[in-house]
């Protein structure tokens, strides 16, 4: 009887949005959006969500007070957006109509973006003085000197220009933009709760127009160690060395294996007498940042640990390397600083990768080996390594940019104004593998990323190292989803649906072995 009258009630509608300041995993201010609905004539809090407001690629914090103030302004603006205009615009909307809600959110953001652009343009025009025309004067002597220099160094200048392209301007981050992504995710969680299904099934139904008959769990890529710019040693090139487990393993098996491997690595480092292997610290990605001078050293460490642990590197597990090369460019010299005092031109870095992959064939993926501007080197590297190693690109801040030549996979993070509908569109349009990744400023208790990765049907998920509440919460959610799907008999086997990160040659070998 109760269910009968419940079905006669009006469908739940959004009554209010609440935006409030919270602290993320690094103790920094962030925004959280809460959705309240009228359910059976009573207002009820349905769900809340927080999306990272990560401000672009990592840079040196030259002025931490300015950065802190910038984040505080962003959170304050986001809270104001949620509590006032977005609250009024979404009041009375059906939270199960995700595309309509996201359309409203995107239109609102675009209007704010255009307003901000107009203000910036007006400020630039006002800053120009009409009494100071731009005139370039040159004396005959200067002209002769320039002509002589151009004759002497013309060829060198042309060559240098071809080898080094200036950096693309970064996409602007509008203060308050994290409100859009947070509200969109909170509404999606509300819709799933109203329909009485998990978030991953709800997102899968949004993407495929109906719930699929089977689900597969994305393969967990676990970060083993870091030798990036934040580490104590000279080496900066290996921002992350990532373990790629064999397809078909359960999430629990992957975590157990990785933890045992890390213990063996720590034992080797503690007993090693080699220089540069004695110091380590925990970095933002939840792994040890180790002091090394050459890229071969951390790879040798992993090779030795796998041998001692009885794992066949290159068969049972493979490796991926996040080079994070855009962060290593010294623009004053036009070269990558791969280690302290060690500079490499784009072509020299390409040769370095070729040597490294030939020595360590277990490395089957390179993430961001160059800047986006070094298109020729991306293409050359793919031609050289294409049969043995896949190139991946982080498109978090360049989701609308054209694909780079030779790229077989993309890493995407849910940040800023990205809505759930945007994630569905981006992952549907991209060719190759799509990896869902985390930022260093994730909310501690939100495990929605795992549901999103499963719901979107992604091949891989990159959650970082095996430490920190913000990461282990997501790993635990993956385990829970996997167990739930297995109990329901709708868990697809990864062996039957091998993800396309590996090239055709390793896949053919594994198929023959099977």
């Amino acid at each position: 009887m109760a269910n009968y009258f419940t079905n006669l009630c009006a469908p739940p509608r959004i009554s209010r949005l609440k935006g409030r300041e919270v602290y993320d995993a690094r103790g920094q201010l962030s925004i959280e959006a809460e959705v309240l609905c009228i359910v059976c004539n009573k207002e009820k809090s349905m769900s809340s969500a927080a999306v990272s407001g990560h401000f672009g690629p990592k840079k040196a914090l030259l002025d931490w007070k300015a950065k802190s103030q910038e984040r505080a302004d962003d959170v304050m603006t986001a809270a104001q957006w949620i509590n006032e205009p977005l609250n009024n615009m979404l009041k009375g909307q059906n939270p199960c109509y995700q595309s309509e809600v996201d359309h409203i959110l995107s239109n609102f953001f675009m209007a704010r973006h255009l307003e901000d652009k107009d203000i910036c343009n007006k400020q630039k025009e006002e800053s120009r003085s009409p009494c100071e025309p731009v005139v370039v004067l040159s004396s005959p002597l200067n002209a002769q000197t320039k002509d002589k220099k151009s004759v002497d160094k013309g060829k060198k200048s042309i060559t240098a220009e071809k080898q080094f392209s200036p950096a693309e301007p970064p996409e602007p981050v509008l203060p308050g933009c994290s409100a859009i992504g947070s509200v969109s995710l909170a509404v999606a969680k509300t819709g799933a709760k109203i329909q009485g299904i998990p978030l991953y099934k709800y997102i899968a139904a949004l993407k495929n127009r109906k719930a699929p008959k089977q689900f597969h769990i994305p393969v967990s890529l676990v970060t083993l160690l870091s030798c990036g710019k934040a580490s104590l040693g000279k080496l900066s090139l290996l921002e992350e060395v990532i373990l790629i487990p064999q397809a078909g393993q359960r999430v629990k098996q992957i975590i157990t294996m990785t933890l045992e491997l890390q213990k063996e690595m720590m034992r080797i480092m503690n007993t090693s007498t080699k220089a540069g292997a004695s110091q380590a610290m925990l970095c933002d990605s939840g792994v040890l940042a180790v002091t090394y001078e050459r890229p071969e050293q951390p790879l040798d460490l992993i090779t030795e640990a796998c041998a001692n642990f009885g794992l066949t590197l290159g068969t049972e597990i493979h490796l991926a390397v996040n080079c994070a090369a855009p962060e290593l460019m010294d623009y004053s010299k036009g070269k990558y600083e791969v280690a302290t005092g060690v500079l490499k031109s784009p072509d020299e870095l390409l040769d370095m990768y070729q040597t490294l992959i030939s020595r360590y064939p277990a490395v089957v993926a390179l993430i961001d080996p160059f800047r986006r501007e070094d298109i020729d080197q991306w293409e050359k590297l793919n031609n050289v390594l294409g049969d043995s190693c896949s190139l991946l690109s982080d498109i978090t801040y360049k989701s609308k940019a054209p694909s780079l030549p030779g790229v077989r996979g993309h890493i995407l993070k849910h940040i800023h104004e990205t809505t759930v509908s945007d994630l569905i569109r981006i992952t549907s349009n991209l060719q190759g593998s799509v990896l869902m990744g985390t930022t260093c400023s994730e909310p501690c208790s939100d495990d929605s990323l795992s549901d999103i990765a499963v719901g979107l049907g992604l091949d891989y998920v990159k959650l970082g190292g095996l430490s920190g509440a913000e990461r282990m919460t997501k790993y635990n959610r993956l385990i829970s989803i996997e167990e739930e799907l297995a109990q329901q008999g709708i868990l697809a086997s990864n062996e039957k649906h091998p993800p396309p990160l590996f090239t055709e040659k390793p896949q053919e070998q594994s198929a023959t072995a099977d």
Side-chain angles (χ1 to χ4, degrees), residues 200 212-219 247-251 454 457-459 481-499:
Y200 67 88
K213 295 180 179 179
Q214 283 192 320
F215 292 83
H216 75 269
I217 298 296
V219 178
Q249 287 186 306
R250 293 291 185 92
V251 181
V454 175
L458 302 186
D459 301 317
I481 295 174
E482 188 175 52
E483 292 175 347
E484 180 180 309
L485 293 174
Q487 290 174 358
Q488 296 174 5
I490 55 175
L491 177 62
S493 172
N494 280 330
E495 287 110 335
K496 296 181 181 179
H497 304 282

Side-chain angles (χ1 to χ4, degrees), residues 382-507:
N382 176 61
N383 293 335
V384 172
L385 305 177
D387 292 336
S388 58
C389 186
S390 299
L391 303 184
L392 310 180
S393 172
D394 191 332
I395 61 168
T396 301
Y397 309 103
K398 295 285 184 179
S399 60
K400 298 179 182 179
S403 296
L404 292 163
V407 168
R408 304 188 184 207
H410 304 85
I411 296 176
L412 181 65
K413 302 181 181 75
H414 190 194
I415 62 170
H416 298 325
E417 72 276 8
T418 307
T419 64
V420 171
S421 297
D422 289 334
L423 291 175
I424 293 173
R425 174 183 53 79
I426 293 170
T427 54
S428 299
N429 293 340
L430 284 174
Q431 295 181 351
S433 298
V434 179
L435 294 75
M436 206 72 195
T438 60
T439 68
C440 297
S441 53
E442 292 282 332
C444 289
S445 59
D446 198 325
D447 56 9
S448 303
L449 179 64
S450 300
D451 283 78
I452 293 173
V454 175
L456 293 175
L458 302 186
D459 301 317
Y460 295 88
V461 62
K462 178 176 169 291
L463 300 179
L466 296 175
S467 66
E470 69 277 15
R471 284 171 290 276
M472 295 315 298
T473 299
K474 297 173 179 60
Y475 280 116
N476 288 332
R477 178 56 183 158
L478 272 182
I479 294 172
S480 176
I481 295 174
E482 188 175 52
E483 292 175 347
E484 180 180 309
L485 293 174
Q487 290 174 358
Q488 296 174 5
I490 55 175
L491 177 62
S493 172
N494 280 330
E495 287 110 335
K496 296 181 181 179
H497 304 282
L501 175 66
F502 299 105
T503 55
E504 294 179 2
K505 188 175 180 180
Q507 283 183 0

Side-chain angles (χ1 to χ4, degrees), residues 166-241:
E168 296 178 358
E171 293 183 359
V173 178
L174 187 64
C177 61
S178 53
I180 305 301
S182 299
V183 171
S184 177
L185 180 56
V187 171
K189 294 169 73 173
T190 300
K193 189 173 183 179
I194 290 172
Q195 295 188 8
I197 59 176
L199 180 60
Y200 67 88
K201 289 186 177 180
Y202 184 78
I203 291 177
L206 290 175
K207 181 178 181 180
N208 304 295
R209 303 297 175 89
K210 62 179 181 178
K213 295 180 179 179
Q214 283 192 320
F215 292 83
H216 75 269
I217 298 296
V219 178
S220 298
L221 306 187
V222 187
T223 307
L224 289 173
L225 53 82
S226 173
C227 299
K229 292 185 70 173
S231 61
L232 300 174
K234 294 182 178 180
L235 182 63
S236 300
L237 182 61
L238 277 60
E239 177 67 26
E240 292 178 290
V241 181

Side-chain angles (χ1 to χ4, degrees), residues 3 23 35 77 120 134-135 142 152-153 162 165 181 225 232 276 300 303 347 353 360 370 409 430 482:
N3 292 335
Y23 290 95
V35 176
T77 303
C120 291
V134 179
V135 179
N142 289 337
D152 294 338
K153 299 182 179 180
K162 288 184 178 179
S165 303
L225 53 82
L232 300 174
D300 287 339
T303 303
D347 283 330
Y353 288 137
Y360 302 95
F370 302 103
L430 284 174
E482 188 175 52

